[in-house]
Amino acid sequence: MGDIETLRAELVELQSQMAFQDDTVQALNEAIASQQQEIMVLRRQLELLKQRHEEQAATSSEQDGPSPVDERPPHY
């Protein structure tokens, strides 16, 4: 009977470890999904910023005369 009790204890221990691993895998999966969504949002924001920068660069190059950034300060 000692062998059966030992096997039963080991089985319970294995089931406990498996339940813990299942919880850990689920938590990691949720973290990865959340990070993936955040990466997608950040990529979209980066695309919008790049587009805005390109539009501003195109607009500033179309203006006549130097831009205020390119002008010499009055003390020169």
Side-chain angles (χ1 to χ4, degrees):
M1 288 237 192
D3 290 337
I4 294 175
E5 291 301 320
T6 302
L7 288 174
R8 186 172 292 167
E10 289 176 0
L11 180 61
V12 168
E13 178 65 24
L14 288 172
Q15 288 174 335
S16 175
Q17 289 177 3
M18 188 171 149
F20 177 75
Q21 289 178 350
D22 285 344
D23 289 343
T24 302
V25 167
Q26 182 63 32
L28 291 171
N29 187 43
E30 290 172 4
I32 289 172
S34 174
Q35 289 176 350
Q36 185 62 35
Q37 288 179 341
E38 187 173 353
I39 288 170
M40 290 171 57
V41 167
L42 291 171
R43 281 183 177 171
R44 181 64 183 144
Q45 289 175 347
L46 182 60
E47 288 174 9
L48 291 172
L49 286 172
K50 184 179 176 183
Q51 182 181 6
R52 184 182 301 167
H53 176 72
E54 289 171 352
E55 289 172 357
Q56 288 176 349
T59 303
S60 66
S61 67
E62 292 174 359
Q63 294 176 350
D64 294 334
S67 68
V69 175
D70 297 333
E71 289 182 9
R72 292 182 130 186
H75 61 277
Y76 274 100

